[in-house]
Amino acid sequence: VPSEFELIARHFTRAPRHALLGVGDDCALIRPEEAHQQAISTDSLIEGVHFLSNTDAARLGHKALAVNLSDLAAIGARPRYALLALSLPHADDAWCAAFARGLFELADAFDVDLIGGDTTRAPVIMINLTVIGDLPPGAAIRRGGAKVGDDVYVSGTLGDAALGLAALSGQATLEPEDLAYCVGRLEAPTPRVALGLALRGTASAMLDLSDGLSGDLAHIARASGVSAEIDLSTLPLSAALEHQPLEEAHQWAISGGDDYELCFTAAPALAGAVRAAAQAAGVMVTRIGRMVNSNSVPVKFLQANGTAWTSCSSSHDHFAGRE
Ligand code: ADP
Ligand code: MG
């Protein structure tokens, strides 16, 4: 059985590209980019809470970093560094090798250094990552900047990961192609880093969708002191979602977690700049509604006939027990 130090040396030690000192000493040393601010965020994945016990280790390595890079993307920061606090029931060499492969593949793609961490034993797998990015002063795209009249946009498609999880837990049945696609979206999300950077100076407010559009957009609405009106018919749906009954597809798109798409607002006059940012980032962006004067609900979903859609959470139980 390898020791803690053998696991670290074998799987988690790489020469840093940006850091002055990486893994191996009591602390890492980094030099902030001249005249930049540093953005820092942390997120945990716990076995049995955030992922199923049989999840592929390489995909977990990818996802653990992806969900953290998504937070940097959501404020418009460029990713630089990551720290990994890893707890495992056993010193599992093969698991660590696969986990590191998934993690470093994404780290390389985004030019991120893993500069430190901690390795301990725990009854279940617990993965905590901290990421550090940078951005020029004033460039951060915060949640509280949305104005009445701003358009609301999302990147990619919504609800795929939640449908994938439902399929894995036996609550939905999908054709093989749709299953592979949705499980891929659940287990290996793509952080929208290039889009976040391209939206600096254009988006008035932004966040990444981790808990579902309805709840997450409400954070922007509350922080900004406005409300959102979303046109159901404009929600971007993948082929897999379109193969579901429309009402259910909308339910997944609105309430499903783990999308890691960006949701943002921008003034109508900047619609061209939004399109240019999407094109530069190579990501589909869809306008789904607008911000209105603050009213009794932070987010209202409108049907094609203009009437409000009352969520069918009472009749559907897809999300019971979801964290
Ligand atoms: P300390 O006892 O000083 O906390 P550790 O023995 O925990 O040091 O870690 C040794 C070195 O390995 C440190 O530089 C630490 O940041 C790094 N490290 C430990 N675990 C990991 C990990 N899972 N991934 C990356 N670096 C790690
Ligand atoms: Mg330690």
Side-chain angles (χ1 to χ4, degrees):
V1 184
S3 73
E4 169 193 336
F5 303 103
E6 284 166 338
L7 287 180
I8 296 166
R10 257 181 232 165
H11 304 298
F12 300 112
T13 305
R14 296 263 190 108
R17 281 164 291 195
H18 307 292
L20 304 171
L21 183 62
V23 170
D25 216 309
D26 293 307
C27 289
L29 296 174
I30 58 175
R31 189 187 359 242
E33 185 102 350
E34 177 114 24
H36 274 51
Q37 297 179 342
Q38 289 187 296
I40 182 160
S41 181
T42 193
D43 247 319
S44 298
L45 295 182
I46 313 291
E47 178 181 0
V49 178
H50 301 99
F51 62 91
L52 303 171
S53 292
N54 58 0
T55 304
D56 176 72
R59 282 192 155 184
L60 269 180
H62 173 107
K63 182 161 182 174
L65 183 56
V67 302
N68 277 278
L69 295 185
S70 179
D71 281 320
L72 291 179
I75 204 159
R78 178 182 305 283
R80 288 285 183 206
Y81 305 107
L83 296 116
L84 167 66
L86 183 61
S87 300
L88 299 171
H90 322 280
D92 186 337
D93 208 42
W95 190 94
C96 284
F99 179 85
R101 178 158 41 80
L103 188 145
F104 280 114
E105 213 172 271
L106 197 66
D108 289 345
F110 289 98
D111 201 24
V112 167
D113 284 343
L114 182 67
I115 57 170
D118 200 24
T119 305
T120 55
R121 190 207 293 264
V124 295
I125 301 172
M126 303 199 287
I127 306 157
N128 173 266
L129 258 106
T130 300
V131 285
I132 301 171
D134 57 35
L135 70 181
I141 306 168
R142 298 182 49 182
R143 296 178 173 189
K147 301 273 185 300
V148 170
D150 280 0
D151 291 319
V152 180
Y153 298 87
V154 290
S155 64
T157 56
L158 303 179
D160 303 324
L163 182 55
L165 178 67
L168 287 184
S169 3
Q171 293 169 284
T173 311
L174 299 179
E175 296 297 323
E177 207 175 302
D178 291 344
L179 179 67
Y181 169 79
C182 288
V183 171
R185 293 269 291 156
L186 173 70
E187 295 184 347
T190 306
R192 304 302 190 188
V193 170
L195 181 62
L197 292 174
L199 286 169
R200 285 179 185 169
T202 296
S204 51
M206 183 154 69
L207 50 55
D208 65 324
L209 296 174
S210 53
D211 297 331
L213 175 66
S214 174
D216 285 332
L217 182 53
H219 294 313
I220 288 186
R222 289 201 187 91
S224 302
V226 295
S227 286
E229 273 181 10
I230 302 303
D231 303 312
L232 272 180
S233 63
T234 63
L235 294 178
L237 304 177
S238 66
L241 264 276
E242 283 190 331
H243 295 157
Q244 302 295 306
L246 189 62
E247 284 242 330
E248 296 205 11
H250 285 157
Q251 183 75 25
W252 293 118
I254 288 170
S255 322
D258 268 1
D259 281 325
Y260 299 103
E261 295 295 346
L262 294 180
C263 176
F264 60 94
T265 57
L270 295 177
V274 170
R275 275 196 298 278
Q279 196 152 25
V283 179
M284 181 175 83
V285 163
T286 307
R287 179 182 172 275
I288 60 168
R290 66 210 70 80
M291 303 311 278
V292 297
N293 279 313
S294 178
N295 57 53
S296 54
V297 276
V299 185
K300 192 186 283 178
F301 291 91
L302 299 177
Q303 304 179 96
N305 64 10
T307 61
W309 196 59
T310 42
S311 161
C312 49
S313 54
S314 51
S315 51
H316 288 244
D317 201 26
H318 292 312
F319 309 107
R322 277 280 288 131
E323 274 318 291

